[in-house]
Amino acid sequence: MKKIRIVFVILIFLLTYLLGLINYSEATFVNPQQRKVKFILSTDQLVTDQFYLNNKVDRSRLMVARNVDENYSNLFYFNQMTNQISKDIYKGLLENVNTTGQIDIATNYTIQVESTDDETLQAIYNEQVKPYIYDAFCAFILDNPQYYWIQYSGIDGEVIAEIDEQNKVMKLEQALLTISEVQESSQKEQFNSKLSEVVATITGDNIYDIAKAVHDYICTNVQGQTSSDEAISRTAYGALMNNKANSEGQSNLFVLLCREKGINAVAIRGKVSNQDEQWVAVYQEDMQKWYAVDVSLDNGTEDTSDYFMVGNNTEINGQKFSSTHVANVIAYVDQATVFKAPALTNVAYGEFDVTVEYSNTEPTKDNVIVTITANRNITEPEGWTLSADKKSIQKTYTENTTETVTITSENSETIEQEIVINNIDKQAPNVTVTYNPPAETPAQSVTVTLTADEEVQPIEGWELSEDRKVLTKVYNQNTTENVIVNDIASNSTEVSISINNINEGTFKCTVQYSETNPTNKDVTAFITADRELVVPEGWSIITNPKTVAKTYTENTQETVTVSDTEGNSTTVNINIQNIDKVAPILEVSYSTTELTNQSVVATIKSNEQLQQPEGWEITSDKLTISKTYTLNANETVKVSDLAGNVIEQNIVINNIDKEPPTLDINYQTSGNQVTVTITSNEQLQPVEGWNLSADALTLTKTYTEEMVDVIDVKDLAGNITEATIDIPDLSGNNVDINQVSPDGKNPNSDQTISPNKLPQAGVISIITFVAVLVVLSIVFYIKFRKYDYTRDMKKK
């Protein structure tokens, strides 16, 4: 009996302990100044979910940043990225190219934040994180067309950050990105095998011939597609394996085949006749020039190479290539970087071409040597010197010139090349000298001004004006010296300075001002001597007869003669330039006035330097202030110039919309068709395959077969609500209606758990455990005493 009671006690204890563990598992005992947040990359949704992040995620998955060899090839677009987030994501993708499903990419990037509330964090993520992730994807798929499945997949996933509440720091720790499981992902071996087969058929003795063989293979074997065709046609896989691809897929295959043959080729995105297209630039190492290839425009026309190895000025069908093809390498609307495409040469490969170099393009007093280099042998024009290899000519210019020279090849091809030289200056500056006060007026100090007829270089000890034409210096002793003034081209003029009207040994005066900083008030000048003064006209005696004062209501520069009571006199220069009683003139602009789900930056530009209002940022020149608004606002900001003049500026922002649309989905069955109507509380963007009403509030689509269709519905600001359309078996009579929650979130998405309630679970567990122990102790104590008493009675 006693053993049974002991076992029973142990079971009760274990049960209570397990209950406590369950409660503890839902508690988070972390530094209250730190928390984790999760950003949803595809839906712009921020989820504060400590339960998920601190208890359900294996901490070992928060990896340290990997060491990636940055010397791998084909980094044309990678090398243009400067943000560390972009580089981390790019490298993470490169290391996980053979992984589908969710991949982990570690980063260690911190951002200082003004506030740690969720709305501010979401705004910072949208503006300072997400665009750089888009940069990484764009650069990756352009640099690496061989990883077609990542391009096909697109961007989806989560970004996890740690928030330090106390220090207001957001530290990005991990990106969990989803690479879609597409059928073509499993065909890598077949893709690589066929790629090797095709590469073996590409032959040629030089870059041009090899690139031409690649061009001809695609034109012969790949059928063109439009941008509306299946997404795989955008990839090298679609071009190589399916023999169908649009301009993106064809150019990706072109780049891949060229690289396999050791040729440097780069994909370029942009507009072709105002349509989104992609073409290629091929690097000719021997000539160190880039040439363009648009294989998709040559495709479909027999034996046509109009767009093969062409330059900016190559005319095709009466239009220059640069006028029809405008590079704008961008893949995503919110992308941070507009990548630069390679700079193309002007003429097509093999055409007669020249380049011009100037020995100096800065202002100079020396001659300028012009060198013209051609891509083939040329003849010697009159007045020029031909090089020994007959590839370049040279001429020395002694004065500024604009002229056109005709360069002729040995095959009688000609190019008219304009020569423009406007930086030669062999004329010394003309400098005039003025003294204040003039030489015949006794003075305590003399200001010397040197005025030139052109810009001059600074001189040590002299103050150079903003237009670089005036030099000034204050002399306090009589002196004679020569000053050399150089213009920008280093031509020199020597100027003699002679000062002999400073009263050395006589009484001296000092000048002080009531205010030397910019002010919108009057300024009083004080002249103080070492003796009693006679009051100059317009001045007054302050309590001390050795000091006189005068109040100026506007900026003034004048010379005042000061005398003592014995008739000795000297001059004092008064210079007041800090009075400003005019309010600044402001100009307001906004980063965007269109509907947006991003923050809006208000910028105020002034015609004079400003003080920094609270909550605003100011530029180094103090002429511009800006503020980032994460919400709509209508407020008045008081703007002050340095002198304290105030003007009120109204800021109106009413185009921020960060709320996803609320949708109501209705189904109407008619025979074997179901018409789905999605009604929104705000205007929507068109959705492919759906009809949008004239007022942009309603989307309709008719379904004829059973399916589950998930679509992203965007409002005009770009906020997304995911709508799930569930069409049942149309052979039945009932249609299930799928509702979308009013907040626009997927009902199956992660739920937010309040971090304030989590620690209570552990406390409740402890209290429960203690209470159970106390009750059990009392019960067993009573039973034990009763048992002993009964046993004692039996003994008696």
Side-chain angles (χ1 to χ4, degrees):
M1 194 68 185
K2 185 177 181 180
K3 291 182 177 179
I4 294 175
R5 284 198 294 270
I6 293 173
V7 172
F8 180 76
V9 170
I10 293 173
L11 289 174
I12 294 296
F13 176 81
L14 290 175
L15 179 61
T16 306
Y17 180 73
L18 288 174
L19 288 172
L21 282 183
I22 292 172
N23 284 333
Y24 269 117
S25 70
E26 294 186 38
T28 304
F29 295 96
V30 295
N31 185 344
Q33 297 297 323
Q34 294 181 340
R35 62 187 177 99
K36 303 284 186 180
V37 295
K38 176 175 64 177
F39 299 93
I40 308 301
L41 184 61
S42 60
T43 60
D44 298 340
Q45 180 185 358
L46 168 64
V47 178
T48 304
D49 194 344
Q50 289 189 326
F51 176 72
Y52 172 81
L53 290 170
N54 293 325
N55 294 281
K56 299 301 183 183
V57 174
D58 182 357
R59 300 301 295 177
S60 65
R61 291 174 62 197
L62 297 178
M63 305 168 297
V64 296
R66 302 180 177 91
N67 293 321
V68 177
D69 181 10
E70 296 189 14
N71 293 322
Y72 46 78
S73 60
N74 309 324
L75 293 172
F76 185 85
Y77 292 108
F78 173 86
N79 289 330
Q80 296 186 46
M81 297 189 303
T82 58
N83 188 280
Q84 189 59 45
I85 301 173
S86 301
K87 293 183 177 181
D88 287 342
I89 299 296
Y90 188 108
K91 295 173 183 177
L93 288 170
L94 192 68
E95 286 200 336
N96 291 275
V97 291
N98 291 318
T99 304
T100 53
Q102 190 178 76
I103 64 173
D104 290 350
I105 298 176
T107 183
N108 186 20
Y109 186 82
T110 58
I111 301 174
Q112 198 73 36
V113 298
E114 294 182 0
S115 172
T116 58
D117 64 88
D118 286 356
E119 185 174 357
T120 301
L121 294 178
Q122 182 68 64
I124 291 173
Y125 167 77
N126 288 341
E127 296 167 9
Q128 300 185 39
V129 179
K130 183 177 67 174
Y132 295 106
I133 296 177
Y134 287 158
D135 276 359
F137 266 82
C138 181
F140 186 85
I141 62 180
L142 287 170
D143 281 342
N144 303 282
Q146 65 272 33
Y147 305 130
Y148 55 86
W149 56 92
I150 293 183
Q151 175 187 355
Y152 183 94
S153 172
I155 304 176
D156 191 19
E158 303 167 355
V159 177
I160 298 173
E162 180 181 82
I163 309 301
D164 187 333
E165 304 276 4
Q166 183 175 0
N167 297 314
K168 289 185 169 51
V169 170
M170 179 168 73
K171 179 182 178 182
L172 303 179
E173 292 184 340
Q174 185 185 28
L176 304 174
L177 303 180
T178 301
I179 304 302
S180 300
E181 294 277 5
V182 296
Q183 179 181 353
E184 289 76 15
S185 297
S186 62
Q187 307 297 320
K188 298 169 187 174
E189 292 185 5
Q190 294 90 325
F191 176 82
N192 291 330
S193 176
K194 184 171 182 180
L195 182 65
S196 298
E197 292 177 7
V198 173
V199 169
T201 66
I202 304 296
T203 59
D205 296 329
N206 51 54
I207 292 176
Y208 180 91
D209 291 343
I210 295 172
K212 184 63 165 60
V214 173
H215 170 278
D216 293 348
Y217 170 83
I218 295 175
C219 288
T220 303
N221 294 279
V222 181
Q223 176 185 344
Q225 298 281 283
T226 65
S227 58
S228 61
D229 286 311
E230 57 183 2
I232 199 65
S233 69
R234 298 171 50 231
T235 69
Y237 182 97
L240 183 66
M241 303 297 288
N242 299 339
N243 301 119
K244 295 188 298 184
N246 61 14
S247 66
E248 201 172 342
Q250 293 180 54
S251 58
N252 285 336
L253 180 58
F254 187 98
V255 169
L256 189 53
L257 291 172
C258 282
R259 290 178 178 175
E260 290 291 320
K261 300 297 292 187
I263 298 174
N264 191 0
V266 173
I268 301 175
R269 275 207 174 110
K271 298 284 187 181
V272 177
S273 300
N274 210 31
Q275 298 293 321
D276 291 329
E277 301 285 350
Q278 186 169 300
W279 61 98
V280 176
V282 176
Y283 188 64
Q284 224 295 347
E285 292 184 5
D286 295 339
M287 304 183 68
Q288 296 185 349
K289 292 182 179 180
W290 289 94
Y291 294 91
V293 177
D294 192 334
V295 64
S296 65
L297 290 184
D298 282 340
N299 198 349
T301 306
E302 187 176 358
D303 298 329
T304 297
S305 301
D306 290 343
Y307 290 91
F308 178 72
M309 299 291 276
V310 299
N312 278 324
N313 295 335
T314 302
E315 287 197 8
I316 306 169
N317 299 325
Q319 291 183 297
K320 289 185 178 180
F321 182 85
S322 59
S323 65
T324 58
H325 290 65
V326 180
N328 180 25
V329 184
I330 189 165
Y332 306 101
V333 174
D334 295 325
Q335 189 174 309
T337 303
V338 177
F339 293 98
K340 294 181 179 179
L344 299 179
T345 186
N346 285 328
V347 300
Y349 182 90
E351 289 186 8
F352 184 36
D353 191 19
V354 298
T355 57
V356 181
E357 291 185 38
Y358 298 87
S359 61
N360 195 345
T361 56
E362 299 295 326
T364 180
K365 63 180 180 180
D366 300 323
N367 299 332
V368 173
I369 301 173
V370 178
T371 302
I372 300 178
T373 303
N375 61 345
R376 60 192 62 173
N377 291 350
I378 56 177
T379 60
E380 183 179 83
E382 184 179 355
W384 291 75
T385 301
L386 183 65
S387 63
D389 63 1
K390 298 184 179 182
K391 291 288 180 66
S392 65
I393 55 176
Q394 198 172 80
K395 182 178 179 181
T396 299
Y397 288 83
T398 60
E399 58 184 19
N400 291 326
T401 304
T402 298
E403 67 176 358
T404 300
V405 58
T406 302
I407 299 99
T408 305
S409 72
E410 291 182 343
N411 297 328
S412 299
E413 301 165 291
T414 61
I415 290 179
E416 300 292 323
Q417 180 63 51
E418 186 179 43
I419 304 298
V420 178
I421 299 175
N422 52 20
N423 57 315
I424 296 178
D425 176 10
K426 298 187 176 184
Q427 185 69 38
N430 183 23
V431 182
T432 58
V433 184
T434 57
Y435 300 90
N436 184 25
E440 62 275 6
T441 304
Q444 183 177 331
S445 63
V446 174
T447 300
V448 178
T449 302
L450 306 180
T451 304
D453 61 349
E454 59 178 309
E455 291 185 11
V456 297
Q457 300 180 31
I459 301 176
E460 185 177 357
W462 291 74
E463 182 178 346
L464 183 62
S465 64
E466 200 169 312
D467 64 0
R468 301 175 64 90
K469 292 184 178 181
V470 179
L471 293 157
T472 57
K473 182 178 179 180
V474 177
Y475 288 83
N476 295 311
Q477 293 181 343
N478 292 322
T479 187
T480 299
E481 65 176 345
N482 293 330
V483 177
I484 296 178
V485 181
N486 294 314
D487 61 17
I488 304 301
S490 296
N491 300 294
S492 301
T493 296
E494 187 172 352
V495 179
S496 295
I497 305 295
S498 180
I499 300 173
N500 53 21
N501 58 320
I502 294 177
N503 292 327
E504 299 178 354
T506 62
F507 76 95
K508 296 184 179 298
C509 299
T510 59
V511 180
Q512 292 181 309
Y513 302 97
S514 60
E515 182 60 72
T516 56
N517 292 320
T519 179
N520 57 3
K521 297 179 173 54
D522 298 340
V523 173
T524 301
F526 301 91
I527 300 177
T528 302
D530 58 358
R531 63 195 66 189
E532 187 175 341
L533 298 176
V534 175
V535 181
E537 183 179 356
W539 292 70
S540 59
I541 287 282
I542 305 300
T543 54
N544 184 350
K546 296 180 180 180
T547 301
V548 295
K550 181 180 179 181
T551 299
Y552 291 84
T553 59
E554 58 185 19
N555 292 324
T556 305
Q557 187 173 355
E558 65 177 355
T559 300
V560 178
T561 301
V562 181
S563 302
D564 62 13
T565 54
E566 297 180 1
N568 299 305
S569 62
T570 187
T571 57
V572 176
N573 291 324
I574 303 297
N575 188 6
I576 298 175
Q577 301 297 329
N578 59 316
I579 297 176
D580 175 10
K581 298 185 178 182
V582 179
I585 299 174
L586 307 179
E587 179 183 348
V588 183
S589 62
Y590 302 94
S591 57
T592 181
T593 55
E594 303 293 329
L595 270 176
T596 180
N597 58 4
Q598 306 295 312
S599 299
V600 173
V601 179
T603 302
I604 300 177
K605 293 184 178 180
S606 172
N607 65 325
E608 58 178 310
Q609 290 187 324
L610 303 175
Q611 300 181 40
Q612 183 174 0
E614 184 178 355
W616 290 70
E617 295 182 358
I618 191 166
T619 56
S620 57
D621 61 7
K622 297 185 177 182
L623 293 175
T624 304
I625 58 175
S626 61
K627 181 178 179 180
T628 300
Y629 289 84
T630 58
L631 297 174
N632 289 325
N634 188 340
E635 65 178 4
T636 299
V637 56
K638 292 184 177 181
V639 182
S640 302
D641 60 17
L642 299 184
N645 300 296
V646 179
I647 185 171
E648 292 187 347
Q649 179 61 55
N650 194 35
I651 302 296
V652 179
I653 297 175
N654 52 21
N655 57 315
I656 298 177
D657 175 11
K658 297 187 178 183
E659 292 294 326
T662 300
L663 307 178
D664 181 27
I665 304 177
N666 293 301
Y667 297 76
Q668 184 68 41
T669 304
S670 176
N672 291 328
Q673 294 183 342
V674 176
T675 299
V676 181
T677 302
I678 300 178
T679 305
S680 171
N681 64 327
E682 58 180 312
Q683 290 187 319
L684 303 175
Q685 298 183 35
V687 177
E688 186 176 356
W690 289 71
N691 294 320
L692 182 62
S693 62
D695 60 5
L697 294 173
T698 304
L699 291 163
T700 57
K701 182 177 180 180
T702 300
Y703 290 84
T704 59
E705 58 184 13
E706 178 184 2
M707 68 170 57
V708 175
D709 192 5
V710 180
I711 64 171
D712 288 337
V713 181
K714 292 184 181 180
D715 60 17
L716 298 184
N719 301 297
I720 298 175
T721 294
E722 187 179 86
T724 301
I725 310 301
D726 192 354
I727 306 298
D729 184 357
L730 296 177
S731 62
N733 297 320
N734 297 322
V735 177
D736 294 331
I737 298 178
N738 177 62
Q739 297 293 337
V740 176
S741 58
D743 60 0
K745 298 178 182 177
N746 191 323
N748 296 321
S749 64
D750 292 342
Q751 299 299 310
T752 300
I753 295 179
S754 173
N756 297 325
K757 296 180 180 181
L758 293 175
Q760 298 176 9
V763 176
I764 293 172
S765 298
I766 295 172
I767 295 173
T768 303
F769 176 64
V770 172
V772 171
L773 283 180
V774 171
V775 172
L776 289 174
S777 298
I778 295 172
V779 170
F780 282 108
Y781 176 79
I782 294 173
K783 287 184 174 291
F784 179 79
R785 294 295 296 168
K786 181 179 180 182
Y787 171 78
D788 288 347
Y789 175 79
T790 305
R791 185 179 56 183
D792 291 342
M793 288 297 293
K794 288 181 177 179
K795 287 181 180 180
K796 291 181 180 179

